Every structure is written in C-alpha cells, then in structure tokens.
Amino acid sequence: MHYRTLGGDQGPLVSAVCLGALPFGTTVDEPTAFAILDRFAEAGGTFVDTANNYAFWVPGATGDESELLLGRWLRSRRAAGRTVVATKVGARPDRARGPRWPGNAEGLGGPAIHAGIDGSLRRLGTDRVDVYYAHVEDRGVPLEETVQTLAGLVRGGRVGALGVSNHPTWRLAEARHLAAGRGLPGFRAVQQRHTYLRPRHGPPCGLQRETDDELLDYAAAHPDLTLLGYSTLMDGAYTREDKPLPERYDHPGSVARLRVLAEVAAECGATRNQVVLSWLMGGPVPVIPVIGVSSVGQLDECLAALDVDLDPYQRARLDTA
C-alpha cells in the first residue's frame, strides 16, 4: 500500500486508495462487507468513506445502513484507531422538509450539520470522525453559516479535517477564502465524480459534480487541498459487457480514449480498471480514488493498480486520446 497526507502536510496520513462503503448493509450484505473491509485492512488500507444517507434509495433502506455496518466492523475488529473514517452531511432526506428527495435534503444549515454529526457519531459508535464532508451544495443557506458551523466541529474535537463534495470550484474557493479570512479550519479535501472518460459537454445532471479542468487547475495551485474521485470505474462499465457506459459518457469522444485505454492495459499486462486507477493516482494532480466494490475479488483487482506503473509515453497517449 502507498500512503499520502490529506490536505497537504496537515494530515491525516491515509492510504492512496479509499474504500467506499456506500453499498454496505444494503446491496452488499454484512458478511461480504466485513470480508471486504478485512481484506482492505490486511492490505494496508486505512481510509474508508461513507455518508449519513447511504443508501436510502434502496427499497426498504433508511440511509443509516452504511454507517451502522461500518461502526459494527470498527468495534468488532477494534479498528477505530487505525482507520481514517470519512462521512458526510447535507444529503440525507428530512421528511419534515417534504416527501421527495432532493427537495427534502437536510441541507447545510447550522442545525442540520449539528444533527448530522450527532447521528453519524452515534451510528459509527465513535466520538470523532476523521474527515467530514459537506455532501452537496446548498445555496439556500449562507455559505458563512456552513463554514463557521463545520469549523466549530473541528475546534470542538468532533471532526478532524473538513471536505466538500459535489460543489462547483468557485463555491469551494469562496468557502476556503471565508475560512482563511476568519482564521477558521477550512476545506482540505474535495470529492467529485472523476474517471478517465470525459463527460459530454453541457451542465451536470442532478446533484453530482464532475471533476473539470477548473477544479484540476485550482487543486494544482493549492497543494493543501487533496482531490478524491468517486465513480472512478463507472460501476464496471470499463470491463463488463453487461454494463453500458453512463449516458453522459457515451458519446463519440469516448471511442478513441477507450481504444487507447485497452492498448495501454495490454502493454502493462493489467486490466482497464487498473490502468484507470493508476492514471488517476499518478497524474499531475494526484487523485485518491474512492473505490466501490461488492466482492473481495473486485477489491483485489483495484489494489493491484498500485503496482501498475504507467511510463510517460503511455500517460501522454492516454491524456491526448
């Protein structure tokens, strides 16, 4: 396993890949999730990502499932002290705000953030989370309120580092500027959708935000900010015939990139998934992939990407395809 420091030199030290726990307790049952977590820890993985709403959209689920399962694993393995746990606030349905999501998302107001951390700590069975993300943008709340409330959680010892997800770059920059101007802890991690294929031109669909050139430029200019990518393998679409490309990535521009991806994978003796992960981790702005798997075998394939070394010529071909 390789490691890097989240948020520049400010810590915490995390594994170079992060295990996403989104399906744990819903579409991935507890024995399988425990086996995946055990294998990740055995391989030296230390960084696990969840949220307070995973995965409420699965029939019969509430959004408690992932955090509850992760909490049970942390306690049963006595792993809290050696696991960097990240969770999120802002996107959990609040029935008092209406019957339909995302209109009833809890948001990023002060009361919602305090209620969110209380619930997450209870479900995880701990008194502190290492990384706490503002999960989705909330323009209905003054940004200063969100920034100050989150900073208070850090200063109160309930949160280690702050992150943001699914926000435009200008909003991230403004939040960091606000925090710096007031001497407050600010966002040191940003987690966006990120993969090798590029999305078609046009505004993003729904609440999810993609990593774009503006964010890459901003991250390159601010080494105290760590970039993480989710949906890096597009639910298996790079390697499985039964998994079509997401509509936003299914366009003529993807044809050349997929061809070069297959060529480089053959040259490296690696899978296309492994090349995608290696490309992300070794780029000019190194990315921590948040990998989502449903079996130990899938996890092992992803971990093997740590041993895939793309040479400059291969990387240039991938970049310019």
Side-chain angles (χ1 to χ4, degrees), residues 1 25 40 44-45 63 65 71 118 121 125 173 178 189 207 220 227 236 246 256-257 291 298:
M1 182 60 67
F40 186 64
E65 287 78 9
D118 287 344
L121 293 178
L178 275 171
L207 299 180
L227 177 58
R257 287 177 82 84
I291 54 174
Q298 291 176 0

PDB file of all heavy atoms in Angstrom, residues 1 25 40 44-45 63 65 71 118 121 125 173 178 189 207 220 227 236 246 256-257 291 298:
ATOM      1  N   MET A   1       0.847  -1.198   0.000  1.00  0.00           N
ATOM      2  CA  MET A   1       0.000   0.000   0.000  1.00  0.00           C
ATOM      3  C   MET A   1       0.882   1.247   0.000  1.00  0.00           C
ATOM      4  O   MET A   1       1.945   1.276   0.617  1.00  0.00           O
ATOM      5  CB  MET A   1      -0.918  -0.007   1.227  1.00  0.00           C
ATOM      6  CG  MET A   1      -1.868   1.164   1.306  1.00  0.00           C
ATOM      7  SD  MET A   1      -3.020   1.300  -0.087  1.00  0.00           S
ATOM      8  CE  MET A   1      -4.044  -0.157   0.167  1.00  0.00           C
ATOM      9  N   GLY A  25     -24.402  -2.954   3.778  1.00  0.00           N
ATOM     10  CA  GLY A  25     -25.606  -3.020   4.594  1.00  0.00           C
ATOM     11  C   GLY A  25     -26.883  -2.957   3.798  1.00  0.00           C
ATOM     12  O   GLY A  25     -27.968  -3.147   4.349  1.00  0.00           O
ATOM     13  N   PHE A  40      -9.183  -5.201   2.916  1.00  0.00           N
ATOM     14  CA  PHE A  40      -8.630  -3.862   2.719  1.00  0.00           C
ATOM     15  C   PHE A  40      -7.650  -3.521   3.840  1.00  0.00           C
ATOM     16  O   PHE A  40      -6.541  -3.031   3.578  1.00  0.00           O
ATOM     17  CB  PHE A  40      -9.770  -2.856   2.674  1.00  0.00           C
ATOM     18  CG  PHE A  40      -9.359  -1.445   2.341  1.00  0.00           C
ATOM     19  CD1 PHE A  40      -8.804  -1.140   1.111  1.00  0.00           C
ATOM     20  CD2 PHE A  40      -9.557  -0.411   3.254  1.00  0.00           C
ATOM     21  CE1 PHE A  40      -8.436   0.164   0.788  1.00  0.00           C
ATOM     22  CE2 PHE A  40      -9.191   0.883   2.942  1.00  0.00           C
ATOM     23  CZ  PHE A  40      -8.626   1.182   1.704  1.00  0.00           C
ATOM     24  N   GLY A  44      -3.237  -3.064   4.028  1.00  0.00           N
ATOM     25  CA  GLY A  44      -2.698  -1.787   4.455  1.00  0.00           C
ATOM     26  C   GLY A  44      -3.611  -0.614   4.218  1.00  0.00           C
ATOM     27  O   GLY A  44      -3.229   0.541   4.452  1.00  0.00           O
ATOM     28  N   GLY A  45      -4.844  -0.877   3.747  1.00  0.00           N
ATOM     29  CA  GLY A  45      -5.796   0.205   3.545  1.00  0.00           C
ATOM     30  C   GLY A  45      -6.256   0.795   4.865  1.00  0.00           C
ATOM     31  O   GLY A  45      -6.587   0.056   5.795  1.00  0.00           O
ATOM     32  N   GLY A  63     -30.970   4.958   5.025  1.00  0.00           N
ATOM     33  CA  GLY A  63     -29.783   5.796   4.979  1.00  0.00           C
ATOM     34  C   GLY A  63     -28.863   5.585   6.162  1.00  0.00           C
ATOM     35  O   GLY A  63     -27.736   6.096   6.175  1.00  0.00           O
ATOM     36  N   GLU A  65     -27.780   2.561   7.031  1.00  0.00           N
ATOM     37  CA  GLU A  65     -27.187   1.225   6.914  1.00  0.00           C
ATOM     38  C   GLU A  65     -25.663   1.224   6.822  1.00  0.00           C
ATOM     39  O   GLU A  65     -24.994   0.446   7.498  1.00  0.00           O
ATOM     40  CB  GLU A  65     -27.794   0.505   5.696  1.00  0.00           C
ATOM     41  CG  GLU A  65     -29.230   0.048   5.890  1.00  0.00           C
ATOM     42  CD  GLU A  65     -30.257   1.157   5.743  1.00  0.00           C
ATOM     43  OE1 GLU A  65     -29.886   2.279   5.325  1.00  0.00           O
ATOM     44  OE2 GLU A  65     -31.441   0.908   6.035  1.00  0.00           O
ATOM     45  N   GLY A  71     -19.678   0.969  11.672  1.00  0.00           N
ATOM     46  CA  GLY A  71     -19.482   1.049  13.114  1.00  0.00           C
ATOM     47  C   GLY A  71     -19.341  -0.321  13.749  1.00  0.00           C
ATOM     48  O   GLY A  71     -18.505  -0.527  14.640  1.00  0.00           O
ATOM     49  N   ASP A 118     -24.234  14.438  15.090  1.00  0.00           N
ATOM     50  CA  ASP A 118     -24.737  13.639  16.211  1.00  0.00           C
ATOM     51  C   ASP A 118     -25.167  12.253  15.724  1.00  0.00           C
ATOM     52  O   ASP A 118     -24.820  11.227  16.335  1.00  0.00           O
ATOM     53  CB  ASP A 118     -25.929  14.330  16.875  1.00  0.00           C
ATOM     54  CG  ASP A 118     -25.541  15.553  17.693  1.00  0.00           C
ATOM     55  OD1 ASP A 118     -24.338  15.710  18.001  1.00  0.00           O
ATOM     56  OD2 ASP A 118     -26.434  16.358  18.024  1.00  0.00           O
ATOM     57  N   LEU A 121     -22.031  10.093  14.472  1.00  0.00           N
ATOM     58  CA  LEU A 121     -21.203   9.586  15.570  1.00  0.00           C
ATOM     59  C   LEU A 121     -21.926   8.466  16.312  1.00  0.00           C
ATOM     60  O   LEU A 121     -21.296   7.467  16.715  1.00  0.00           O
ATOM     61  CB  LEU A 121     -20.843  10.721  16.527  1.00  0.00           C
ATOM     62  CG  LEU A 121     -19.924  11.811  15.961  1.00  0.00           C
ATOM     63  CD1 LEU A 121     -19.698  12.910  17.003  1.00  0.00           C
ATOM     64  CD2 LEU A 121     -18.598  11.224  15.502  1.00  0.00           C
ATOM     65  N   GLY A 125     -20.529   4.733  16.279  1.00  0.00           N
ATOM     66  CA  GLY A 125     -20.079   4.287  17.598  1.00  0.00           C
ATOM     67  C   GLY A 125     -18.768   4.912  18.014  1.00  0.00           C
ATOM     68  O   GLY A 125     -17.937   4.274  18.662  1.00  0.00           O
ATOM     69  N   ALA A 173     -13.724  27.524  -3.587  1.00  0.00           N
ATOM     70  CA  ALA A 173     -12.738  28.585  -3.387  1.00  0.00           C
ATOM     71  C   ALA A 173     -13.264  29.664  -2.449  1.00  0.00           C
ATOM     72  O   ALA A 173     -12.530  30.160  -1.583  1.00  0.00           O
ATOM     73  CB  ALA A 173     -12.348  29.184  -4.740  1.00  0.00           C
ATOM     74  N   LEU A 178     -13.292  32.342   2.839  1.00  0.00           N
ATOM     75  CA  LEU A 178     -14.003  32.762   4.041  1.00  0.00           C
ATOM     76  C   LEU A 178     -13.332  32.207   5.294  1.00  0.00           C
ATOM     77  O   LEU A 178     -13.112  32.928   6.276  1.00  0.00           O
ATOM     78  CB  LEU A 178     -15.452  32.278   3.988  1.00  0.00           C
ATOM     79  CG  LEU A 178     -16.475  33.137   3.261  1.00  0.00           C
ATOM     80  CD1 LEU A 178     -17.786  32.391   3.123  1.00  0.00           C
ATOM     81  CD2 LEU A 178     -16.688  34.448   4.006  1.00  0.00           C
ATOM     82  N   ALA A 189     -10.151  18.793   1.557  1.00  0.00           N
ATOM     83  CA  ALA A 189     -10.369  17.702   0.615  1.00  0.00           C
ATOM     84  C   ALA A 189     -11.596  18.022  -0.220  1.00  0.00           C
ATOM     85  O   ALA A 189     -12.542  18.649   0.270  1.00  0.00           O
ATOM     86  CB  ALA A 189     -10.569  16.371   1.353  1.00  0.00           C
ATOM     87  N   LEU A 207     -27.415  16.363  -8.743  1.00  0.00           N
ATOM     88  CA  LEU A 207     -26.591  16.979  -7.711  1.00  0.00           C
ATOM     89  C   LEU A 207     -25.113  16.648  -7.842  1.00  0.00           C
ATOM     90  O   LEU A 207     -24.272  17.317  -7.245  1.00  0.00           O
ATOM     91  CB  LEU A 207     -27.083  16.540  -6.325  1.00  0.00           C
ATOM     92  CG  LEU A 207     -28.519  16.923  -5.969  1.00  0.00           C
ATOM     93  CD1 LEU A 207     -28.864  16.423  -4.576  1.00  0.00           C
ATOM     94  CD2 LEU A 207     -28.726  18.434  -6.054  1.00  0.00           C
ATOM     95  N   ALA A 220      -4.194  22.061  -8.412  1.00  0.00           N
ATOM     96  CA  ALA A 220      -2.765  22.148  -8.703  1.00  0.00           C
ATOM     97  C   ALA A 220      -2.145  23.374  -8.050  1.00  0.00           C
ATOM     98  O   ALA A 220      -0.979  23.348  -7.627  1.00  0.00           O
ATOM     99  CB  ALA A 220      -2.545  22.185 -10.208  1.00  0.00           C
ATOM    100  N   LEU A 227      -7.531  16.036  -3.768  1.00  0.00           N
ATOM    101  CA  LEU A 227      -8.620  15.696  -4.672  1.00  0.00           C
ATOM    102  C   LEU A 227      -8.906  14.200  -4.598  1.00  0.00           C
ATOM    103  O   LEU A 227      -7.997  13.380  -4.708  1.00  0.00           O
ATOM    104  CB  LEU A 227      -8.255  16.089  -6.107  1.00  0.00           C
ATOM    105  CG  LEU A 227      -9.253  15.755  -7.211  1.00  0.00           C
ATOM    106  CD1 LEU A 227     -10.603  16.404  -6.955  1.00  0.00           C
ATOM    107  CD2 LEU A 227      -8.700  16.194  -8.565  1.00  0.00           C
ATOM    108  N   GLY A 236     -18.279  -0.697 -13.291  1.00  0.00           N
ATOM    109  CA  GLY A 236     -17.837  -1.843 -14.085  1.00  0.00           C
ATOM    110  C   GLY A 236     -17.925  -1.644 -15.582  1.00  0.00           C
ATOM    111  O   GLY A 236     -17.619  -2.563 -16.354  1.00  0.00           O
ATOM    112  N   PRO A 246     -22.435   5.012 -18.806  1.00  0.00           N
ATOM    113  CA  PRO A 246     -23.450   6.002 -18.441  1.00  0.00           C
ATOM    114  C   PRO A 246     -23.692   6.955 -19.608  1.00  0.00           C
ATOM    115  O   PRO A 246     -22.769   7.292 -20.358  1.00  0.00           O
ATOM    116  CB  PRO A 246     -22.821   6.721 -17.244  1.00  0.00           C
ATOM    117  CG  PRO A 246     -21.838   5.759 -16.680  1.00  0.00           C
ATOM    118  CD  PRO A 246     -21.307   4.991 -17.851  1.00  0.00           C
ATOM    119  N   ALA A 256     -12.058   6.910 -28.943  1.00  0.00           N
ATOM    120  CA  ALA A 256     -10.600   6.915 -29.014  1.00  0.00           C
ATOM    121  C   ALA A 256      -9.980   6.648 -27.650  1.00  0.00           C
ATOM    122  O   ALA A 256      -8.983   5.928 -27.534  1.00  0.00           O
ATOM    123  CB  ALA A 256     -10.111   8.246 -29.571  1.00  0.00           C
ATOM    124  N   ARG A 257     -10.553   7.220 -26.607  1.00  0.00           N
ATOM    125  CA  ARG A 257      -9.979   7.015 -25.275  1.00  0.00           C
ATOM    126  C   ARG A 257     -10.114   5.557 -24.835  1.00  0.00           C
ATOM    127  O   ARG A 257      -9.207   4.996 -24.216  1.00  0.00           O
ATOM    128  CB  ARG A 257     -10.642   7.972 -24.265  1.00  0.00           C
ATOM    129  CG  ARG A 257     -10.172   9.410 -24.467  1.00  0.00           C
ATOM    130  CD  ARG A 257     -10.852  10.396 -23.546  1.00  0.00           C
ATOM    131  NE  ARG A 257     -10.279  10.472 -22.206  1.00  0.00           N
ATOM    132  CZ  ARG A 257      -9.220  11.210 -21.881  1.00  0.00           C
ATOM    133  NH1 ARG A 257      -8.557  11.878 -22.815  1.00  0.00           N
ATOM    134  NH2 ARG A 257      -8.800  11.263 -20.637  1.00  0.00           N
ATOM    135  N   ILE A 291     -12.923   3.716  -4.187  1.00  0.00           N
ATOM    136  CA  ILE A 291     -13.296   2.529  -4.954  1.00  0.00           C
ATOM    137  C   ILE A 291     -14.524   1.870  -4.334  1.00  0.00           C
ATOM    138  O   ILE A 291     -14.602   1.665  -3.127  1.00  0.00           O
ATOM    139  CB  ILE A 291     -12.123   1.533  -5.059  1.00  0.00           C
ATOM    140  CG1 ILE A 291     -11.558   1.179  -3.671  1.00  0.00           C
ATOM    141  CG2 ILE A 291     -11.011   2.112  -5.926  1.00  0.00           C
ATOM    142  CD1 ILE A 291     -10.502   0.096  -3.702  1.00  0.00           C
ATOM    143  N   GLN A 298     -13.081  -8.175  -6.539  1.00  0.00           N
ATOM    144  CA  GLN A 298     -13.063  -6.846  -7.143  1.00  0.00           C
ATOM    145  C   GLN A 298     -12.090  -5.929  -6.403  1.00  0.00           C
ATOM    146  O   GLN A 298     -11.373  -5.136  -7.019  1.00  0.00           O
ATOM    147  CB  GLN A 298     -14.459  -6.244  -7.140  1.00  0.00           C
ATOM    148  CG  GLN A 298     -15.433  -6.922  -8.087  1.00  0.00           C
ATOM    149  CD  GLN A 298     -16.833  -6.359  -7.972  1.00  0.00           C
ATOM    150  OE1 GLN A 298     -17.099  -5.456  -7.177  1.00  0.00           O
ATOM    151  NE2 GLN A 298     -17.758  -6.894  -8.757  1.00  0.00           N
TER     152      GLN A 298
END
